[in-house]
Amino acid sequence: MSREDVVVLAGGTGGAKLVRGMADVVEPERLAAVVNTGDDIEIYGAHVSPDPDLVSFWLADLIDARGWGLAGDTFAVMDALRALGVEVWFNLGDRDLAWCLERARLIAAGATATAALARLNAAIGVRARVLPVSDDRLRTFVRTSSGWHSFQEFMIGERAAGAVEGLEFRGAEQARPTEEVLEAIARAGAIVIGPSNPLASIGPILAVAGLREALERCDAPVVAVSPIVGGEVLKGPTAAFMEYAQLPCDAGGVARFYEGLLDGMVADETLQGPHPRSLRIDTRMDDASSRARVAAQTLAFARELGATRDP
């Protein structure tokens, strides 16, 4: 690897889209995504890892138009379970289920989650490194008026409705970043925090013991891309989590959440107040060309910031 390597911290659709855009402007072998595993769930005998798989499917150009899962997937197994009287609250396509069953088998046979995903990604031609933030157990739990829920229960069973009253990253204090993640951060030329939910998607990554310190130690500039576009959240319950954290749902609030980590902020609005240097661009990523444009502009900004840090 060279100091031109790019690391993207990612979770959810926004982060996955930016990773896909980066793959168009950076050689895949120089690109690493460090991805949230707090949303993982064991179900149907499978190990489902939604965010790493989302990044992987985007990189392989296999993502379904609905924004998750594999394009053209069928749901025969889910239909068969319903016919047997099973309450299917977590819908998983047949090919997606096969992917997650194979991950569970590999892990049961002794592979790490990182090694299992690398093997799966090799089978679909993904050349960039998609790195679970930790091989240790990490689970995000959300409290609402009806009690504590795993992240998937909150998003699907509760439909992400109502106010967020509590947020926990269970296992984060015991979990450790993988050696692959620490090496990628230490040798990066630029680190980009994707336009993901700061609390629910990037928060679990930063909560893993030693990860924030690794970012603080690295020589690379750290730049965040705001998930707030046109004054609105494009997807997911980011606004509810920002309200829980008592942060404004704008780029300034996002910058405040990452306080102490950032050299720069990319947003489609002008930041007010004492924030890090910012770049104002159109951050909407509706197609391949816009994803590549946002990636290229963000990377150029990061490199500019890096140049000013060099002695």
Side-chain angles (χ1 to χ4, degrees):
M1 292 191 297
S2 75
R3 287 305 306 276
E4 289 300 306
D5 287 350
V6 177
V7 172
V8 181
L9 273 57
T13 299
K17 283 185 174 182
L18 184 62
V19 174
R20 181 62 188 87
M22 284 290 179
D24 283 334
V25 299
V26 175
E27 294 175 11
E29 291 79 8
R30 290 173 42 211
L31 175 62
V34 175
V35 192
N36 168 43
T37 56
D39 302 2
D40 285 20
I41 182 173
E42 290 84 11
I43 193 168
Y44 312 129
H47 183 131
V48 186
S49 194
D51 281 352
D53 293 350
L54 187 65
V55 171
S56 299
F57 297 163
W58 268 100
L59 284 169
D61 292 327
L62 293 175
I63 195 73
D64 191 84
R66 64 180 173 261
W68 58 272
L70 291 157
D73 212 346
T74 54
F75 291 83
V77 173
M78 299 297 108
D79 291 341
L81 287 172
R82 292 186 182 95
L84 293 171
V86 176
E87 182 183 355
V88 176
W89 66 272
F90 189 91
N91 216 27
L92 202 62
D94 298 326
R95 291 160 55 217
D96 202 347
L97 177 59
W99 173 280
C100 296
L101 284 169
E102 178 62 3
R103 171 192 282 115
R105 188 194 69 80
L106 289 167
I107 292 174
T112 63
T114 299
L117 182 58
R119 181 165 172 176
L120 291 168
N121 274 337
I124 60 173
V126 173
R127 294 156 57 201
R129 287 160 288 154
V130 184
L131 304 176
V133 62
S134 179
D135 288 328
D136 301 318
R137 185 177 178 84
L138 172 68
R139 296 292 184 270
T140 298
F141 278 77
V142 182
R143 192 180 77 224
T144 67
S145 59
S146 59
W148 283 100
H149 309 276
S150 72
F151 191 77
Q152 296 303 331
E153 291 169 341
F154 166 72
M155 290 294 294
I156 300 172
E158 299 293 308
R159 300 184 183 275
V164 173
E165 299 178 1
L167 180 64
E168 291 183 356
F169 307 124
R170 298 181 184 177
E173 291 184 359
Q174 294 76 36
R176 293 294 182 270
T178 67
E179 288 301 317
E180 293 88 346
V181 165
L182 292 176
E183 181 183 13
I185 291 172
R187 301 181 66 173
I191 295 175
V192 179
I193 301 176
S196 308
N197 184 320
L199 279 88
S201 293
I202 303 300
I205 297 175
L206 298 178
V208 171
L211 194 286
R212 179 182 284 269
E213 291 78 7
L215 291 172
E216 292 171 347
R217 285 195 307 269
C218 74
D219 294 329
V222 179
V223 173
V225 180
S226 174
I228 316 301
V229 180
E232 297 179 346
V233 177
L234 294 183
K235 187 176 178 64
T238 296
F241 283 97
M242 295 293 281
E243 183 177 357
Y244 162 72
Q246 299 182 327
L247 292 169
C249 194
D250 57 23
V254 175
R256 281 173 56 189
F257 180 77
Y258 296 131
E259 187 174 2
L261 286 179
L262 298 184
D263 296 285
M265 186 82 197
V266 177
D268 72 348
E269 58 184 289
T270 301
L271 272 68
Q272 305 295 331
H275 294 299
R277 284 185 57 186
S278 62
L279 173 69
R280 183 175 181 177
I281 63 171
D282 179 3
T283 54
R284 194 176 295 271
M285 295 184 287
D286 293 329
D287 53 28
S289 62
S290 60
R291 290 191 294 270
R293 175 186 52 76
V294 172
Q297 291 177 313
T298 299
L299 188 54
F301 178 53
R303 287 171 171 162
E304 176 188 340
L305 294 174
T308 64
R309 294 176 52 167
D310 290 339

